[in-house]
């Protein structure tokens, strides 16, 4: 143990900071003579210390890659320290910080990175993920979505679907997910129970809709408001720090003014987040204009109803006007960018760079099953690709996103959108340890790593080519919630 700790922590650490697509690259090498002072915990509350390559975003323009680093996790699941190298010798660390009684994880060729944050998806739609992507949004809702979601009045139907999406998202490295459920309060409670059991950090909303919906899948206004408040109250009463109820009007066309105002009031009284859709499709935007001719624009409808707040998460935002973008900024509301869905339903291309340049919060969302994949790795790739399409269509005036900027949006950016940037998104001391252990050499890995590859190269290969086979361990608030089956050594034949 002493030899391993000494070699891991004192053998020199390399810190790489960089940015692509016009972002300045800087590389600094630290050796033992360049020690800096790092305050480690003075109590013996460390549960685990990870040693090896550790990667996390600091800002949109900076992702740090520490080649030989140490990260300590407390018994309460929070991060005790992160340092690229230690200021103590091995004996001093063991004696002073009680590391002799701490689990030491040598990462080796693996690396540690923050958990991924999915800011918009539909749990019930996972049952038909990858199906029915032949229609535009409004026809797709009528043909596929509403008939499927109506079946979730049955717990027997809902349970295997909800268990499957919770498992699948965790396997893909999604440690935090913002879910739409259905109009059925009892099975929305079931989704909460499943998420608590598997240990995923989640935002969950009972969908609300009282107009422009089929008779078999619609609520009365009063029922929707009553059941929504009951769901919010019951979920908050759980006092589970990992589960947050969300006010969830489906979108303006399916919600009356009375319903929207009532939901805005519930959100305000309980001080909880609000999620919905905005400006996803040209026909949808025109429909909203017909339904609310006295409002200046789509965002103005939400604002008038009290649904545009600093805790509002609006999915899509493909066709936001300059005035709407300014309004979102003024209200400190944000946008969940859902590129897979926008491509798959032929909705359009969101100008994410413009939103970011205007100071609007942006995260990424899989939007299952308008998006055919529940993987945030797919979302990172699609966001990068979408920005390149916008770049070309803007005559190269709007700069494309680099892959590491998309990683930021899938981690710290998403955490900021959900109001959790003080809790998760990177490995800052005091935050919850939501993390992935990534193994580029896992069995069946789609990644090929060569001796010349730097850790930053391996990161990019994982972001572009990796999948759930590379995500070998997943942690939420320090608890291991997923681990791939270990490969057992074969017995030698006699």
């Amino acid at each position: 143990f002493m030899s391993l700790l000494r070699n891991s922590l004192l053998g020199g650490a390399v810190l790489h900071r960089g940015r692509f697509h016009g972002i300045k690259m800087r590389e600094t090498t630290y050796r033992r003579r360049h020690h800096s002072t790092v305050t480690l915990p003075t109590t013996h509350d460390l549960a685990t210390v990870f040693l090896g390559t550790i990667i996390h975003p600091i800002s949109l323009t900076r992702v740090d890659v520490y080649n030989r680093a140490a990260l300590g996790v407390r018994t309460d699941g929070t991060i005790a320290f992160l340092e690229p190298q230690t200021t103590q010798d091995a004996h001093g660390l063991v004696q002073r910080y009680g590391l002799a009684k701490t689990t030491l994880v040598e990462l080796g060729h693996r690396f540690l990175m923050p958990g991924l944050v999915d800011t918009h998806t539909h749990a019930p739609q996972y049952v038909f993920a990858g199906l029915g992507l032949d229609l535009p949004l409004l026809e797709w809702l009528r043909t596929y979505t509403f008939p499927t979601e109506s079946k979730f009045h049955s717990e027997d139907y809902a349970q295997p679907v909800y268990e499957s999406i919770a498992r699948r998202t965790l396997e893909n490295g999604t440690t935090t997910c913002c879910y739409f459920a259905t109009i059925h309060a009892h099975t929305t409670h079931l989704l909460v129970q499943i998420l608590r059991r598997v240990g995923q950090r989640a935002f969950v909303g009972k969908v609300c809709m009282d107009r422009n919906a089929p008779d078999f899948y619609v609520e009365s206004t009063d029922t929707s408001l009553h059941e929504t408040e009951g769901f919010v109250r019951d979920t908050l009463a759980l006092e589970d720090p990992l589960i947050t109820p969300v006010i969830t009007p489906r979108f303006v066309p399916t919600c009356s003014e009375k319903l929207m105002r009532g939901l805005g009031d519930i959100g305000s009284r309980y001080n909880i987040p609000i999620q919905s859709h905005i400006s996803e499709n040209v026909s949808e935007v025109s429909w909203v204009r017909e339904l609310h001719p006295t409002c200046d624009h789509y965002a103005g409808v939400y604002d008038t109803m009290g649904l545009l707040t600093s805790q509002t998460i609006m999915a899509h935002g493909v066709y936001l006007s300059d005035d709407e973008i300014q309004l979102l900024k003024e209200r400190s509301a944000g946008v969940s960018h859902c590129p897979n869905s926008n491509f798959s339903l032929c909705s359009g291309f969101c100008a994410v760079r413009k939103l970011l340049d205007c100071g609007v919060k942006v995260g990424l969302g899989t939007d299952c099953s308008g998006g055919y994949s529940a993987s945030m790795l797919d979302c990172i790739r699609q966001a990068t690709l979408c920005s390149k399409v916008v770049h070309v269509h803007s005559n190269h005036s709007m700069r494309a996103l680099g892959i590491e900027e998309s990683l930021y949006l899938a981690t710290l950016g998403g955490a900021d959108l959900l109001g959790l940037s003080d809790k998760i998104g990177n490995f800052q001391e005091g935050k919850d340890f939501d993390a992935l252990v990534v193994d580029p050499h896992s069995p069946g890995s789609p990644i090929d790593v060569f001796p010349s590859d730097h850790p930053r190269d391996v990161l990019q290969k994982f972001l572009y080519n990796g999948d759930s086979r590379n995500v070998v361990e997943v942690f939420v608030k320090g608890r291991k919630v997923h681990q791939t089956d270990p490969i057992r050594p074969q017995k030698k034949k006699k």
Side-chain angles (χ1 to χ4, degrees):
F1 174 86
M2 297 289 287
S3 175
L4 173 62
L5 187 60
R6 185 185 305 275
N7 292 336
S8 299
L9 289 179
L10 301 182
V14 181
L15 167 64
H16 295 270
R17 298 171 181 169
R19 179 179 173 185
F20 294 85
H21 295 276
I23 305 173
K24 186 177 180 181
M25 175 73 76
R26 184 172 80 249
E27 180 176 307
T28 306
T29 301
Y30 294 88
R31 298 300 178 194
R32 291 186 63 183
R33 64 181 182 274
H34 291 154
H35 285 179
S36 58
T37 301
V38 177
T39 302
L40 296 178
T42 55
T43 59
H44 299 279
D45 63 350
L46 284 176
T48 309
V49 173
F50 292 88
L51 307 170
T53 300
I54 298 176
I55 299 169
H56 71 151
I58 303 300
S59 68
L60 178 66
T61 60
R62 175 181 161 191
V63 174
D64 282 3
V65 178
Y66 302 100
N67 192 25
R68 292 298 295 172
L71 184 148
V73 182
R74 296 186 179 94
T75 53
D76 66 358
T78 60
I79 297 167
F81 64 87
L82 169 63
E83 53 175 331
Q85 61 180 4
T86 183
T87 58
Q88 304 286 325
D89 61 23
H91 180 75
L93 285 171
V94 170
Q95 295 300 315
R96 185 173 181 183
Y97 303 117
L99 296 186
K101 298 180 180 180
T102 299
T103 300
L104 179 65
V105 177
E106 175 71 12
L107 292 169
H109 59 258
R110 300 171 297 169
F111 64 85
L112 194 68
M113 63 173 283
L116 301 173
V117 179
D118 187 345
T119 59
H120 179 75
T121 202
H122 295 259
Q125 293 178 24
Y126 183 65
V127 73
F128 65 102
L131 303 176
L133 297 175
D134 56 330
L135 297 173
L137 174 66
L138 299 181
E139 293 179 62
W140 177 79
L141 287 171
R142 290 190 293 267
T143 305
Y144 300 111
T145 305
F146 293 159
T148 299
E149 289 191 9
S150 69
K151 298 176 183 179
F152 280 75
H153 68 85
S154 165
E155 291 191 6
D156 290 338
Y157 186 88
Q159 183 162 343
V161 179
Y162 286 162
E163 288 180 342
S164 294
I165 190 170
R167 172 183 51 80
R168 183 68 66 183
T169 52
L170 281 174
E171 287 177 355
N172 280 283
T174 301
T175 51
T176 298
C177 197
C178 191
Y179 290 105
F180 276 56
T182 65
I183 66 173
H184 312 103
H186 62 292
T187 52
T188 305
H189 281 293
L190 175 64
L191 175 59
V192 169
Q193 293 167 15
I194 291 169
L195 294 168
R196 295 185 73 201
R197 184 172 71 249
V198 301
Q200 188 176 50
R201 189 185 301 271
F203 288 52
V204 182
K206 189 204 85 65
V207 171
C208 301
M209 44 195 288
D210 67 344
R211 66 173 180 176
N212 294 321
D215 292 341
F216 60 81
Y217 192 55
V218 70
E219 309 167 284
S220 71
T221 305
D222 290 343
T223 297
S224 185
L225 291 172
H226 174 73
E227 292 193 350
T228 294
E229 184 161 11
F231 170 74
V232 168
R233 186 173 55 247
D234 292 346
T235 304
L236 291 175
L238 296 173
E239 296 185 342
D240 187 333
L242 299 183
I243 302 294
T244 302
V246 192
I247 299 298
T248 308
R250 182 169 217 112
F251 67 155
V252 167
T254 59
C255 297
S256 67
E257 290 194 18
K258 180 181 178 182
L259 177 57
M260 287 190 283
R261 291 184 188 277
L263 293 173
D265 177 64
I266 295 172
S268 176
R269 284 191 284 112
Y270 288 91
N271 189 30
I272 57 175
I274 297 165
Q275 63 177 349
S276 193
H277 303 82
I278 191 170
S279 299
E280 178 179 357
N281 171 281
V282 172
S283 298
E284 169 210 9
V285 174
S286 298
W287 193 10
V288 171
R289 190 178 299 115
E290 293 173 3
L291 291 170
H292 297 273
T294 60
C295 289
D296 292 336
H297 39 59
Y298 203 152
V301 178
Y302 286 121
D303 192 47
T304 300
M305 306 302 166
L307 292 169
L308 209 59
T309 74
S310 61
Q311 297 187 76
T312 297
I313 306 130
M314 285 292 169
H316 302 289
V318 175
Y319 297 101
L320 292 171
S321 66
D322 290 346
D323 288 343
E324 288 178 292
I325 292 173
Q326 181 60 33
L327 180 59
L328 290 175
K329 179 184 177 182
E330 290 174 358
R331 298 292 183 266
S332 296
V335 172
S336 175
H337 175 39
C338 305
N340 187 316
S341 175
N342 294 340
F343 281 132
S344 296
L345 297 179
C346 298
S347 296
F349 317 116
C350 179
V352 171
R353 180 69 69 186
K354 182 177 182 179
L355 295 175
L356 293 170
D357 288 347
C358 290
V360 175
K361 295 179 292 188
V362 179
L364 299 184
T366 58
D367 193 25
C368 176
S369 76
Y372 53 77
S373 174
S375 169
M376 281 297 292
L377 287 172
D378 172 84
C379 199
I380 289 170
R381 296 161 194 159
Q382 300 263 5
T384 306
L385 177 61
C386 179
S387 73
K388 293 180 180 181
V389 174
V390 174
H391 173 69
V392 172
H393 279 265
S394 68
N395 292 320
H396 296 205
S397 64
M398 200 169 298
R399 187 162 47 88
L401 294 172
I403 189 69
E404 295 188 7
E405 291 178 296
S406 294
L407 173 62
Y408 166 84
L409 297 179
T411 51
L412 192 54
D416 188 35
L417 176 59
L418 298 181
L420 295 176
S421 59
D422 62 333
K423 291 285 187 183
I424 60 170
N426 63 10
F427 294 138
Q428 181 179 331
E429 181 181 334
K431 289 188 177 185
D432 288 353
F433 184 66
D434 287 16
L436 314 179
V437 176
V438 177
D439 186 353
H441 300 278
S442 60
S445 173
I447 304 170
D448 289 312
V449 178
F450 300 95
S452 60
D453 287 333
H454 183 271
R456 188 178 294 277
D457 302 328
V458 179
L459 168 65
Q460 291 193 59
K461 285 187 174 185
F462 168 66
L463 295 179
Y464 274 119
N465 296 315
D467 61 26
S468 59
R469 287 170 290 184
N470 301 113
V471 181
V472 295
E473 291 182 329
V474 179
F475 296 85
V476 175
K477 196 173 172 56
R479 172 189 169 191
K480 187 183 295 184
V481 295
H482 170 71
Q483 181 176 16
T484 56
D485 292 333
I487 297 186
R488 298 177 181 177
Q490 295 182 352
K491 293 183 180 180
K492 294 182 179 180
K493 295 182 180 181
K494 295 182 178 180

